[in-house]
């Protein structure tokens, strides 16, 4: 069962990332998931459930890619983390954050807002822990979110700017 939901979630993530949340038909989502319509609805009974499954899958992939095996040196961890966010943007999210796009597509969904908040809070907490900057979650999230939002306009320059600003966190009083 876990393997099937993983397969479905991965296909749904690809479809929503490529086509947005309004465009793909259920048939296109079924094809992207590589399952029958019956199986798709068995594991994700509504379009809202499909979006949530896709975003949960994306969350796991993002966290694994950004936070796995960071250098132990504080500044090195932050530079690496920000470079990985830039790499993610270049390869996976050239149009911006899929979590924010999902909330923008369905702003009244409490479930989507809760998932967005949980994802961003976990990113901030993991960044603060990995970089040895406890209590600086807000500043780190601002750096990461700023990088994510400015990537489509500035690309690699956004990474360099975020890294430069990030280094200042180690000298600034809390």
């Amino acid at each position: 069962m876990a393997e099937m939901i993983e397969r479905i979630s991965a296909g749904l993530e690809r479809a929503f990332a490529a086509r947005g949340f309004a465009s793909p038909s259920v048939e296109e989502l079924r094809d992207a998931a590589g399952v029958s319509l019956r199986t798709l609805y068995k594991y994700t009974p509504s379009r809202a459930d499909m979006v949530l499954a896709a975003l949960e899958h994306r969350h796991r992939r993002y966290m694994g890619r950004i936070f796995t095996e960071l250098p132990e040196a504080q500044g090195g961890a932050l530079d690496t983390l920000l470079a990985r966010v830039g790499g993610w943007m270049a390869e996976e999210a050239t149009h911006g954050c899929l979590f924010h796009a999902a909330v923008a597509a369905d702003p009244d969904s409490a479930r989507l807002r809760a998932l967005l908040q949980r994802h961003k809070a976990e990113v901030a907490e993991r960044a603060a822990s990995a970089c040895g900057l406890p209590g600086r979650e807000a500043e780190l999230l601002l750096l990461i979110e700023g990088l994510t939002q400015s990537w489509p306009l500035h690309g690699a320059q956004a990474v360099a700017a975020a890294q430069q600003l990030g280094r200042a966190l180690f000298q600034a009083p809390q």
Side-chain angles (χ1 to χ4, degrees):
M1 186 164 122
E3 189 176 306
M4 180 60 71
I5 193 66
E6 182 72 16
R7 176 179 164 186
I8 291 169
S9 298
L12 293 171
E13 179 199 352
R14 284 189 303 274
F16 289 130
R19 307 256 345 265
F21 292 97
S23 293
S25 67
V26 173
E27 290 76 19
E28 290 170 314
L29 294 171
R30 174 204 62 208
D31 292 347
V35 296
S36 69
L37 197 56
R38 181 178 178 178
T39 300
L40 179 63
Y41 277 119
K42 176 182 176 182
Y43 290 94
T44 53
S46 68
R47 190 176 191 94
D49 290 319
M50 292 175 199
V51 170
L52 289 167
L55 292 175
E56 287 287 358
H57 183 264
R58 190 162 185 99
H59 171 75
R60 289 188 300 276
R61 284 192 331 104
Y62 180 86
M63 298 304 283
R65 181 159 171 190
I66 303 303
F67 294 104
T68 300
E69 298 181 19
L70 287 170
E72 291 187 26
Q74 295 172 337
L78 184 56
D79 278 352
T80 301
L81 184 154
L82 293 170
R84 288 180 183 175
V85 171
W88 175 271
M89 296 305 298
E91 298 167 22
E92 303 275 350
T94 56
H95 302 295
C97 177
L98 197 61
F99 291 87
H100 283 293
V103 170
D106 190 1
D108 296 326
S109 171
R111 291 169 54 189
L112 280 177
R113 287 190 174 283
L115 179 56
L116 170 67
Q117 289 172 340
R118 180 173 56 85
H119 170 69
K120 299 302 180 180
E122 189 173 335
V123 168
E125 290 165 10
R126 294 272 306 269
S129 176
C131 297
L133 291 167
R136 304 306 286 266
E137 291 84 357
E139 293 96 328
L140 289 164
L141 187 59
L142 182 64
L143 276 176
I144 294 166
E145 287 295 292
L147 171 53
T148 300
Q149 294 304 311
S150 63
W151 176 265
L153 297 173
H154 301 289
Q157 288 179 321
V159 173
Q163 289 171 327
Q164 183 178 2
L165 290 170
R167 289 182 200 109
L169 289 176
F170 293 102
Q171 283 91 41
Q174 287 193 7

